């Protein structure tokens, strides 16, 4: 059992849990994820690790309540426990001193971008972050992202906070204004990552996205998380979750994400 040490409501639909998981906390690296199961009858859901504290033996998990299981998860409180937490899973992010990097997070995607941006900063990069959400009340981790970024730009789709724009439009504006990016990471909803891939490919920037397709086992056995990358079938859980942004087939990914919408 994995005890919830702290719970924070970030937005009406977005919750943060700090969970006691010392074994995972000692090993996890930015970009990796865990698969959790609330109880014996619950489905297994993948969640990227938004932060970790090796001394405290804790993981920070941020999730959006979008279906039955995540709604149930959101009803748990401090002191409650999660039955299973398996991880760390997936390949860690490629962290090196690229030079100037763009860290682009849309909506709940800001959560997995945060530890990657922090690691890129620690590796010596100049970190330019662009974060955005549909509206002000859905924006998360602005303070945390500001602390580890050299510059930060905030957008909202409806203009209720920051600039009225999509994060990918802001990225393109910066490029047109003369910013030279040596690397970019973009995480968010599939349409955002597709647009991110378009911009980075257009300007010849090495770029990665982190995919979060439906997963079951998280260990490469079930095939549910398959994605098409560079014309080949890859498993997001073991071959990813990060892939070259320009190589992912986002239309197939969108179709697969919708398979269980009714359920
Ligand atoms: Fe089963 Fe990836 S989740 S193969």
């Amino acid at each position: 059992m994995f005890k919830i040490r702290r719970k924070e409501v970030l937005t009406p639909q977005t919750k943060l849990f700090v969970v006691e998981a010392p074994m995972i906390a000692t090993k996890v690296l930015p970009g990796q994820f865990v698969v959790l199961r609330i109880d014996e009858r619950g489905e297994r859901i993948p969640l990227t690790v938004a932060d970790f504290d090796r001394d405290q033996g804790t993981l920070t998990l941020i999730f959006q309540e979008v279906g039955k299981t995540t709604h149930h998860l959101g009803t748990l409180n401090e002191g409650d426990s999660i039955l299973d937490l398996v991880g760390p899973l997936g390949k860690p992010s490629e962290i090196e001193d690229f030079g100037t990097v763009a860290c682009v997070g849309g909506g709940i995607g800001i959560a997995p971008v945060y530890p990657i941006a922090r690691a890129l900063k620690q590796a010596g990069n100049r970190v330019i972050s662009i974060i955005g959400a549909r509206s002000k009340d859905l924006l998360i981790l602005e303070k945390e992202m500001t602390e580890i970024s050299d510059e930060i730009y905030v957008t909202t789709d409806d203009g209720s906070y920051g600039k009225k724009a999509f994060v990918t439009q802001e990225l393109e504006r910066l490029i047109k204004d003369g910013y030279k990016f040596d690397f970019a990471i973009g995480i968010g909803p599939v349409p955002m990552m597709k647009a991110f891939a378009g911009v980075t490919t257009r300007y010849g920037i090495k770029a990665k996205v982190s995919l979060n397709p439906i997963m079951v086992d998280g260990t490469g056995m079930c095939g549910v998380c398959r994605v098409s990358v560079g014309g080949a079938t890859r498993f997001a859980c073991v071959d990813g979750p990060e892939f070259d942004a320009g190589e992912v087939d986002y239309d197939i990914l969108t179709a697969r994400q919708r398979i269980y919408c009714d359920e």
Side-chain angles (χ1 to χ4, degrees):
M1 300 287 271
F2 298 84
K3 192 167 166 195
I4 299 165
R5 192 181 288 184
R6 187 162 70 80
K7 177 183 182 179
E8 217 178 295
V9 178
L10 300 182
T11 78
Q13 286 88 34
T14 315
K15 312 275 160 64
L16 175 153
F17 283 167
V18 175
V19 180
E20 293 176 3
M23 296 289 279
I24 303 174
T26 53
K27 286 193 245 156
V28 67
L29 292 167
Q32 292 187 296
F33 64 97
V34 292
V35 169
L36 70 78
R37 203 165 55 126
I38 301 175
D39 53 43
E40 265 157 20
R41 294 174 55 209
E43 65 173 334
R44 297 155 64 85
I45 54 167
L47 287 178
T48 31
V49 175
D51 204 356
F52 48 86
D53 185 324
R54 299 201 202 283
D55 296 333
Q56 294 285 320
T58 57
L59 303 178
T60 301
L61 306 174
I62 295 176
F63 59 95
Q64 207 163 24
E65 296 177 8
V66 288
K68 188 168 169 244
T69 301
T70 44
H71 273 113
H72 182 185
L73 189 62
T75 64
L76 300 183
N77 288 307
E78 288 174 7
D80 290 341
S81 292
I82 294 164
L83 178 67
D84 288 334
L85 207 50
V86 180
L89 300 171
K91 292 188 177 154
S93 304
E94 195 183 334
I95 303 294
E96 57 183 84
D97 188 356
F98 295 103
T100 300
V101 298
C103 296
V104 184
I108 192 75
I110 301 167
V113 162
Y114 170 63
I116 299 169
R118 184 176 58 184
L120 286 166
K121 178 69 189 159
Q122 286 165 351
N125 292 282
R126 178 169 170 244
V127 173
I128 314 293
S129 295
I130 307 164
I131 60 171
R134 287 205 309 276
S135 58
K136 181 182 180 183
D137 56 335
L138 296 174
L139 188 74
I140 60 168
L141 302 183
E142 183 187 3
K143 179 173 152 287
E144 290 81 354
M145 285 296 293
T146 302
E147 281 168 6
I148 50 93
S149 303
D150 291 278
E151 293 175 36
I152 186 161
Y153 299 87
V154 181
T155 69
T156 49
D157 298 4
D158 65 0
S160 53
Y161 188 64
K163 183 187 273 192
K164 185 178 189 309
F166 296 132
V167 283
T168 45
Q169 291 172 325
E170 191 65 349
L171 174 64
E172 185 154 24
R173 181 192 67 79
L174 292 175
I175 295 167
K176 284 183 175 164
D177 281 356
Y179 281 74
K180 300 255 182 292
F181 294 110
D182 303 294
F183 176 73
I185 174 92
I187 311 178
V190 177
M192 179 227 124
M193 292 195 285
K194 185 177 179 182
F196 171 81
V199 173
T200 50
T201 302
R202 204 151 51 241
Y203 293 95
I205 300 166
K206 175 183 164 73
K208 297 269 186 187
V209 289
S210 179
L211 306 185
N212 190 14
I214 297 161
M215 291 189 188
V216 176
D217 65 318
T219 58
M221 304 289 283
C222 71
V224 166
C225 69
R226 64 185 180 277
V227 289
S228 177
V229 181
T233 296
R234 310 289 297 279
F235 291 160
C237 68
V238 286
D239 299 322
E242 287 182 19
F243 295 100
D244 289 337
E247 303 250 291
V248 173
D249 188 323
Y250 296 94
D251 297 334
I252 291 179
L253 180 62
T254 303
R256 289 191 59 78
Q257 296 283 57
R258 291 197 180 130
I259 286 177
Y260 297 109
C261 270
D262 291 345
E263 285 79 4

